[in-house]
Amino acid sequence: MKTDRDSNIELMLLNITGNDRPGVTVELSEILARYDATILDIGQADIHHTLALGILIKTDSRVSGDLMKDLLFKAYELDVNIRFSPVSADEYQQWVGLQGKDRWIITLLGRRLTAAAIADVSRVVAEMGLNIDGIKRLTGRMPLHGENPLSKSCVQISVRGNLDDQTEMQKRFMEIANLREVDISLQEDTMYRRARRLVCFDMDSTLIGTEVIDELADRAGVGAEVRAITESAMRGEIDFCESFTRRVALLKGLDESVMRDIAENLPITEGVDRMMTALKRTGYKTAILSGGFTYFGNYLKQRFGFDYVYANELEIKDGKLTGRHLGDIVDGRRKAELLRLLAQVENVNIKQTIAVGDGANDLPMLATAGLGIAFHAKPKVKATADQSLSTIGLDGILYFIGFKDSLIS
């Protein structure tokens, strides 16, 4: 049964557009305050100095006419447009009911983003029964001329709804990613996505643009033999431990000084410095979990400030490699174990962890982490991992966890 109080309630959506300038929001909200209006929802965006402000209010119908008149006069003074749309109680309750729906974050990034890529993604969202709540740009503004080969463009799309088939949606996104030369990430928007604390990286072909064992093999004159074994292992065709032992044996007799020379000339992957600066500044713990060698992992630790390094130790006697290793081999299974161990040491939930790698031996680690990212990965790895990053450098993972250029540049 409606009371007199209920009958005087009026719901109204205000849409304000025009040239943005300081003070628009405060002057309009002061008028709302004068009429004791309640703000039920508010959202604002600014694109190229153009304001788009939406305010959903509850007010007393007995004063709504005066309220709208004052708002119109103020909008004229501010040189903005204002449109009033009545909202029924049923429409409002339907909107409130959406609070029980799941929320998802879609991250779309690449060297450049085309209208076709955004259209394709939006079409999939609609066909899967989800609704777009908001879109925001995470990267800086793109220059009009002179395309930078290292440029990057990223938008984050927030969607809401009950997703019946996440696997199918990710499959369709992968098809779009391949067609449009972009990366597309789909993550459920949970408290864990907003609170990642530990990031673990593979080293070879992830943090650095080479397989160190291949570099060592070239210096030892067995490059072709070792590289063939490496490729077979990365494709998952042979057991990693077996391939590792065979490759290390071929390095017997190599002088230790070669390792120092290779370390000082490692090809660092695009974006590593920027990524590590942002992660350290915001308190993330970082680790290298590598099937490569501790010598090179420690070099990267010292250079970029990683917190942990776990890799394989080469045996050296009289200044030369013996062709043997010391201790257990860090293979795929061991990487996943180390990830879980570090999460316990740092007292973080496993869902708060991120793992990044490129090879088949990284798959157990990627599957264990809360967010597993296949970086410029082999086709088998890319198809298996939940997320992939193939179009830009390692700093692309910052966008996957919601960083904006304006906060990290």
Side-chain angles (χ1 to χ4, degrees), residues 237-252:
E237 296 172 350
I238 59 176
D239 174 75
F240 179 82
C241 289
E242 177 191 348
S243 69
F244 179 83
T245 302
R246 286 168 52 189
R247 288 179 291 172
V248 168
L250 291 170
L251 302 179
K252 182 178 180 179

Side-chain angles (χ1 to χ4, degrees), residues 253-269:
L254 187 63
D255 196 276
E256 181 182 7
S257 63
V258 171
M259 299 173 69
R260 185 185 316 111
D261 183 54
I262 290 175
E264 292 173 352
N265 293 282
L266 287 174
I268 305 301
T269 299

Side-chain angles (χ1 to χ4, degrees), residues 148-346:
N148 184 342
L150 298 181
S151 66
K152 51 184 77 71
S153 183
C154 176
V155 295
Q156 179 177 286
I157 305 172
S158 175
V159 303
R160 190 196 301 267
N162 293 328
L163 180 56
D164 294 328
D165 194 340
Q166 182 178 350
T167 301
E168 174 61 21
M169 191 168 191
Q170 287 179 314
K171 176 185 174 184
R172 295 182 65 179
F173 280 165
M174 183 175 289
E175 293 170 352
I176 296 170
N178 291 333
L179 175 65
R180 304 299 182 188
E181 296 183 334
V182 295
D183 292 307
I184 306 172
S185 164
L186 173 67
Q187 302 176 61
E188 189 170 4
D189 192 12
T190 66
M191 60 180 288
Y192 297 113
R193 191 194 76 85
R194 300 168 182 265
R196 311 288 189 193
R197 303 311 312 150
L198 171 67
V199 193
C200 297
F201 298 91
D202 174 46
M203 181 172 64
D204 295 34
S205 297
T206 300
L207 292 171
I208 56 177
T210 188
E211 295 286 329
V212 169
I213 196 167
D214 292 344
E215 299 288 332
L216 292 169
D218 285 340
R219 300 293 187 93
V222 291
E225 298 167 69
V226 167
R227 195 165 278 107
I229 300 173
T230 299
E231 286 298 317
S232 183
M234 289 297 100
R235 291 192 299 267
E237 296 172 350
I238 59 176
D239 174 75
F240 179 82
C241 289
E242 177 191 348
S243 69
F244 179 83
T245 302
R246 286 168 52 189
R247 288 179 291 172
V248 168
L250 291 170
L251 302 179
K252 182 178 180 179
L254 187 63
D255 196 276
E256 181 182 7
S257 63
V258 171
M259 299 173 69
R260 185 185 316 111
D261 183 54
I262 290 175
E264 292 173 352
N265 293 282
L266 287 174
I268 305 301
T269 299
E270 175 199 343
V272 170
D273 198 3
R274 180 170 183 260
M275 174 195 69
M276 288 299 295
T277 298
L279 293 177
K280 288 192 295 180
R281 186 182 300 161
T282 49
Y284 282 76
K285 293 295 183 179
T286 56
I288 296 174
L289 307 182
S290 174
F293 306 117
T294 53
Y295 186 95
F296 304 97
N298 286 331
Y299 175 84
L300 295 177
K301 178 183 178 182
Q302 183 177 14
R303 178 170 174 178
F304 296 106
F306 288 92
D307 296 290
Y308 301 96
V309 172
Y310 290 93
N312 298 296
E313 188 76 29
L314 289 171
E315 184 181 61
I316 301 173
K317 287 186 178 181
D318 300 325
K320 295 185 180 298
L321 303 188
T322 66
R324 296 186 296 270
H325 62 89
L326 303 174
D328 294 333
I329 295 175
V330 178
D331 59 1
R333 177 188 58 80
R334 182 60 177 157
K335 286 187 179 186
E337 290 175 351
L338 288 167
L339 171 62
R340 283 188 286 265
L341 175 63
L342 289 176
Q344 292 176 6
V345 169
E346 293 296 337

